[in-house]
Amino acid sequence: MAKRFPLPFRGVALAQVALAFFATASSVGVVSTTAIAQPIPPQSVPVPKSAPKGRDGAPDGSRGPSTTGAMQTPPTPFIPDPHRNLPLSLFATFDDKQKAQAAKVSNYLSSLQTLIGNFVQVGPDGTKTKGQFFIQKPGKVRFEYDAPNPIAIVADGSMVAVRNSSLSTQDLYPLSQTPLRYLLSDRIDLMKDTNVVSVTADDMYVSITIEERQLLTGTSRLMLMVGAKDGQLKQWTVTDPQGYDTTVAVYNLDTSRKIDPGMFKIDFSEKTFPPG
């Protein structure tokens, strides 16, 4: 019987390969491959218990500022208020200050070309796990979890692969059909390119919530949080259509290191199978 894994963009049943962050992918289907040619070493993904109700709560890109040096200790993720209320309208209006805040976050995300860092992930049941991530824009990302769990997530610019080296399986999603594209787009204007439903700010964070509504799968949300003082990405929270939250806090961010392109390679040589 397959286990349930919360992934960095909120996963549900791995056997069905349904990542809530990839909610829009369910409308276009998922394919699976077996016997990965060169399975990566086991990575770690937490195995959640039954999930409770969801909780709430510009530098140069290629040579951008590096925060390397003394390694930071893992942060304590901010868990959103489970009783948060968001606008019901798809046509939320924002004042000039909110628009300026969204524009600043858009410019920051657009400025990033490479990004390496560590993360702490909190699943919907409160389970925590750690790991490292690598982003190469446009469209490429790799999440590596602490051993011993066998899952890895790789996007190569067009597809997203969820690999399980223990089962020798690989499940694929079109990148263009997933909200992952918001973090991996070469350039993005959040107000124009996404459905922003909330922009808030306090002394610690500027938070922007993006909503996607699908007729068949329901509504999913992505809340991006950047530091109010340094303007850097701090965390994101994904809320799936069932209302379950997965939060990922990032730290030790480095925009100066070069990344091996081979880290984003997906093996498509094996036979593919239709969903189910």
Side-chain angles (χ1 to χ4, degrees):
M1 180 176 179
K3 298 179 179 179
R4 293 168 63 89
F5 297 93
L7 300 174
F9 304 106
R10 170 70 188 116
V12 283
L14 182 62
Q16 299 175 349
V17 200
L19 302 179
F21 192 86
F22 305 144
T24 55
S26 61
S27 63
V28 296
V30 180
V31 295
S32 300
T33 61
T34 59
I36 298 175
Q38 296 180 339
I40 64 173
Q43 312 295 335
S44 175
V45 176
V47 181
K49 304 168 186 176
S50 60
K53 181 64 179 176
R55 290 180 294 273
D56 223 308
D60 176 81
S62 59
R63 301 180 183 177
S66 169
T67 58
T68 54
M71 295 292 286
Q72 302 173 14
T73 57
T76 300
F78 170 79
I79 305 302
D81 179 1
H83 303 295
R84 68 190 186 276
N85 294 313
L86 293 174
L88 297 178
S89 172
L90 288 173
F91 307 102
T93 58
F94 304 97
D95 60 30
D96 290 342
K97 183 176 181 180
Q98 290 172 310
K99 292 178 181 178
Q101 290 166 336
K104 187 174 182 180
V105 174
S106 297
N107 290 337
Y108 165 71
L109 294 176
S110 297
S111 75
L112 298 175
Q113 293 302 308
T114 62
L115 185 64
I116 299 174
N118 299 96
F119 67 87
V120 177
Q121 176 180 307
V122 181
D125 68 337
T127 302
K128 293 183 180 180
T129 190
K130 300 176 184 177
Q132 189 173 23
F133 70 93
F134 306 82
I135 291 175
Q136 175 70 66
K137 293 168 63 178
K140 299 178 181 178
V141 69
R142 181 185 182 96
F143 278 85
E144 296 182 346
Y145 292 83
D146 294 342
N149 286 329
I151 305 299
I153 299 175
V154 179
D156 68 352
S158 60
M159 298 294 291
V160 179
V162 180
R163 298 172 174 174
N164 185 321
S165 60
S166 292
L167 300 178
S168 294
T169 61
Q170 179 172 261
D171 302 297
L172 302 175
Y173 300 83
L175 177 62
S176 63
Q177 299 297 319
T178 76
L180 184 61
R181 65 188 183 275
Y182 298 145
L183 291 177
L184 303 181
S185 296
D186 193 20
R187 296 199 60 81
I188 188 165
D189 184 330
L190 292 171
M191 283 296 186
K192 292 181 179 179
D193 301 333
T194 74
N195 177 38
V196 175
V197 296
S198 177
V199 179
T200 62
D202 55 28
D203 292 340
M204 294 292 294
Y205 303 109
V206 175
S207 304
I208 298 179
T209 301
I210 300 166
E211 183 175 272
E212 288 203 339
R213 296 187 179 187
Q214 296 293 320
L215 181 61
L216 297 179
T217 60
T219 299
S220 59
R221 295 189 181 99
L222 167 66
M223 182 172 71
L224 297 170
M225 299 176 68
V226 302
K229 296 181 179 179
D230 63 12
Q232 290 197 14
L233 181 64
K234 300 299 182 184
Q235 70 172 54
W236 61 82
T237 295
V238 177
T239 305
D240 73 8
Q242 288 73 46
Y244 300 138
D245 288 349
T246 296
T247 294
V248 178
V250 297
Y251 62 109
N252 290 330
L253 301 184
D254 188 344
T255 60
S256 64
R257 287 171 54 190
K258 292 184 178 180
I259 305 175
D260 179 3
M263 297 188 71
F264 309 111
K265 183 178 180 181
I266 298 176
D267 183 4
F268 296 99
S269 63
E270 299 299 328
K271 182 177 179 181
T272 61
F273 298 88

PDB file of all heavy atoms in Angstrom, residues 161-174:
ATOM      1  N   ALA A 161       9.105  16.045 -12.592  1.00  0.00           N
ATOM      2  CA  ALA A 161       9.163  14.620 -12.285  1.00  0.00           C
ATOM      3  C   ALA A 161       9.220  14.421 -10.781  1.00  0.00           C
ATOM      4  O   ALA A 161       9.992  15.082 -10.087  1.00  0.00           O
ATOM      5  CB  ALA A 161      10.393  13.981 -12.932  1.00  0.00           C
ATOM      6  N   VAL A 162       8.388  13.509 -10.286  1.00  0.00           N
ATOM      7  CA  VAL A 162       8.439  13.077  -8.896  1.00  0.00           C
ATOM      8  C   VAL A 162       8.993  11.660  -8.911  1.00  0.00           C
ATOM      9  O   VAL A 162       8.346  10.727  -9.387  1.00  0.00           O
ATOM     10  CB  VAL A 162       7.049  13.109  -8.234  1.00  0.00           C
ATOM     11  CG1 VAL A 162       7.143  12.658  -6.774  1.00  0.00           C
ATOM     12  CG2 VAL A 162       6.458  14.504  -8.313  1.00  0.00           C
ATOM     13  N   ARG A 163      10.204  11.504  -8.408  1.00  0.00           N
ATOM     14  CA  ARG A 163      10.905  10.232  -8.491  1.00  0.00           C
ATOM     15  C   ARG A 163      10.851   9.491  -7.157  1.00  0.00           C
ATOM     16  O   ARG A 163      10.999  10.100  -6.107  1.00  0.00           O
ATOM     17  CB  ARG A 163      12.374  10.451  -8.865  1.00  0.00           C
ATOM     18  CG  ARG A 163      12.583  11.110 -10.214  1.00  0.00           C
ATOM     19  CD  ARG A 163      14.048  11.457 -10.400  1.00  0.00           C
ATOM     20  NE  ARG A 163      14.322  11.978 -11.742  1.00  0.00           N
ATOM     21  CZ  ARG A 163      15.494  12.455 -12.116  1.00  0.00           C
ATOM     22  NH1 ARG A 163      16.503  12.497 -11.242  1.00  0.00           N
ATOM     23  NH2 ARG A 163      15.671  12.902 -13.344  1.00  0.00           N
ATOM     24  N   ASN A 164      10.671   8.191  -7.242  1.00  0.00           N
ATOM     25  CA  ASN A 164      10.758   7.326  -6.068  1.00  0.00           C
ATOM     26  C   ASN A 164      11.773   6.246  -6.391  1.00  0.00           C
ATOM     27  O   ASN A 164      11.492   5.322  -7.149  1.00  0.00           O
ATOM     28  CB  ASN A 164       9.385   6.723  -5.747  1.00  0.00           C
ATOM     29  CG  ASN A 164       9.406   5.908  -4.457  1.00  0.00           C
ATOM     30  OD1 ASN A 164      10.362   5.197  -4.172  1.00  0.00           O
ATOM     31  ND2 ASN A 164       8.335   6.017  -3.694  1.00  0.00           N
ATOM     32  N   SER A 165      12.985   6.373  -5.847  1.00  0.00           N
ATOM     33  CA  SER A 165      14.045   5.432  -6.183  1.00  0.00           C
ATOM     34  C   SER A 165      13.801   4.062  -5.571  1.00  0.00           C
ATOM     35  O   SER A 165      14.289   3.059  -6.090  1.00  0.00           O
ATOM     36  CB  SER A 165      15.403   5.985  -5.729  1.00  0.00           C
ATOM     37  OG  SER A 165      15.424   6.197  -4.332  1.00  0.00           O
ATOM     38  N   SER A 166      13.041   3.986  -4.489  1.00  0.00           N
ATOM     39  CA  SER A 166      12.734   2.690  -3.884  1.00  0.00           C
ATOM     40  C   SER A 166      11.828   1.858  -4.777  1.00  0.00           C
ATOM     41  O   SER A 166      11.987   0.643  -4.906  1.00  0.00           O
ATOM     42  CB  SER A 166      12.071   2.878  -2.515  1.00  0.00           C
ATOM     43  OG  SER A 166      12.978   3.422  -1.587  1.00  0.00           O
ATOM     44  N   LEU A 167      10.846   2.517  -5.407  1.00  0.00           N
ATOM     45  CA  LEU A 167       9.906   1.813  -6.275  1.00  0.00           C
ATOM     46  C   LEU A 167      10.321   1.874  -7.737  1.00  0.00           C
ATOM     47  O   LEU A 167       9.659   1.272  -8.583  1.00  0.00           O
ATOM     48  CB  LEU A 167       8.508   2.430  -6.122  1.00  0.00           C
ATOM     49  CG  LEU A 167       7.888   2.386  -4.722  1.00  0.00           C
ATOM     50  CD1 LEU A 167       6.530   3.085  -4.723  1.00  0.00           C
ATOM     51  CD2 LEU A 167       7.761   0.953  -4.229  1.00  0.00           C
ATOM     52  N   SER A 168      11.392   2.601  -8.038  1.00  0.00           N
ATOM     53  CA  SER A 168      11.836   2.805  -9.426  1.00  0.00           C
ATOM     54  C   SER A 168      10.703   3.351 -10.285  1.00  0.00           C
ATOM     55  O   SER A 168      10.430   2.863 -11.385  1.00  0.00           O
ATOM     56  CB  SER A 168      12.378   1.493 -10.021  1.00  0.00           C
ATOM     57  OG  SER A 168      13.552   1.089  -9.350  1.00  0.00           O
ATOM     58  N   THR A 169      10.041   4.365  -9.767  1.00  0.00           N
ATOM     59  CA  THR A 169       8.958   5.007 -10.512  1.00  0.00           C
ATOM     60  C   THR A 169       9.267   6.480 -10.705  1.00  0.00           C
ATOM     61  O   THR A 169      10.074   7.068  -9.975  1.00  0.00           O
ATOM     62  CB  THR A 169       7.615   4.875  -9.780  1.00  0.00           C
ATOM     63  OG1 THR A 169       7.712   5.510  -8.495  1.00  0.00           O
ATOM     64  CG2 THR A 169       7.226   3.419  -9.609  1.00  0.00           C
ATOM     65  N   GLN A 170       8.614   7.040 -11.691  1.00  0.00           N
ATOM     66  CA  GLN A 170       8.761   8.457 -11.988  1.00  0.00           C
ATOM     67  C   GLN A 170       7.436   8.969 -12.525  1.00  0.00           C
ATOM     68  O   GLN A 170       6.929   8.447 -13.511  1.00  0.00           O
ATOM     69  CB  GLN A 170       9.869   8.667 -13.033  1.00  0.00           C
ATOM     70  CG  GLN A 170      10.076  10.120 -13.427  1.00  0.00           C
ATOM     71  CD  GLN A 170      11.298  10.277 -14.313  1.00  0.00           C
ATOM     72  OE1 GLN A 170      12.357  10.652 -13.849  1.00  0.00           O
ATOM     73  NE2 GLN A 170      11.150   9.998 -15.607  1.00  0.00           N
ATOM     74  N   ASP A 171       6.887   9.971 -11.869  1.00  0.00           N
ATOM     75  CA  ASP A 171       5.592  10.513 -12.255  1.00  0.00           C
ATOM     76  C   ASP A 171       5.783  11.930 -12.786  1.00  0.00           C
ATOM     77  O   ASP A 171       6.506  12.730 -12.197  1.00  0.00           O
ATOM     78  CB  ASP A 171       4.645  10.513 -11.065  1.00  0.00           C
ATOM     79  CG  ASP A 171       4.475   9.114 -10.494  1.00  0.00           C
ATOM     80  OD1 ASP A 171       3.972   8.252 -11.224  1.00  0.00           O
ATOM     81  OD2 ASP A 171       4.861   8.885  -9.339  1.00  0.00           O
ATOM     82  N   LEU A 172       5.125  12.229 -13.901  1.00  0.00           N
ATOM     83  CA  LEU A 172       5.403  13.453 -14.642  1.00  0.00           C
ATOM     84  C   LEU A 172       4.202  14.386 -14.696  1.00  0.00           C
ATOM     85  O   LEU A 172       3.068  13.934 -14.850  1.00  0.00           O
ATOM     86  CB  LEU A 172       5.832  13.117 -16.070  1.00  0.00           C
ATOM     87  CG  LEU A 172       7.058  12.207 -16.217  1.00  0.00           C
ATOM     88  CD1 LEU A 172       7.290  11.877 -17.678  1.00  0.00           C
ATOM     89  CD2 LEU A 172       8.286  12.860 -15.609  1.00  0.00           C
ATOM     90  N   TYR A 173       4.486  15.684 -14.596  1.00  0.00           N
ATOM     91  CA  TYR A 173       3.484  16.737 -14.713  1.00  0.00           C
ATOM     92  C   TYR A 173       3.984  17.768 -15.717  1.00  0.00           C
ATOM     93  O   TYR A 173       5.164  18.132 -15.699  1.00  0.00           O
ATOM     94  CB  TYR A 173       3.276  17.463 -13.383  1.00  0.00           C
ATOM     95  CG  TYR A 173       2.821  16.604 -12.251  1.00  0.00           C
ATOM     96  CD1 TYR A 173       3.732  15.870 -11.498  1.00  0.00           C
ATOM     97  CD2 TYR A 173       1.474  16.537 -11.905  1.00  0.00           C
ATOM     98  CE1 TYR A 173       3.313  15.079 -10.446  1.00  0.00           C
ATOM     99  CE2 TYR A 173       1.052  15.759 -10.848  1.00  0.00           C
ATOM    100  CZ  TYR A 173       1.969  15.021 -10.119  1.00  0.00           C
ATOM    101  OH  TYR A 173       1.553  14.246  -9.078  1.00  0.00           O
ATOM    102  N   PRO A 174       3.129  18.300 -16.569  1.00  0.00           N
ATOM    103  CA  PRO A 174       3.539  19.433 -17.415  1.00  0.00           C
ATOM    104  C   PRO A 174       3.783  20.663 -16.542  1.00  0.00           C
ATOM    105  O   PRO A 174       2.905  21.083 -15.790  1.00  0.00           O
ATOM    106  CB  PRO A 174       2.339  19.642 -18.342  1.00  0.00           C
ATOM    107  CG  PRO A 174       1.550  18.370 -18.271  1.00  0.00           C
ATOM    108  CD  PRO A 174       1.764  17.838 -16.891  1.00  0.00           C
TER     109      PRO A 174
END
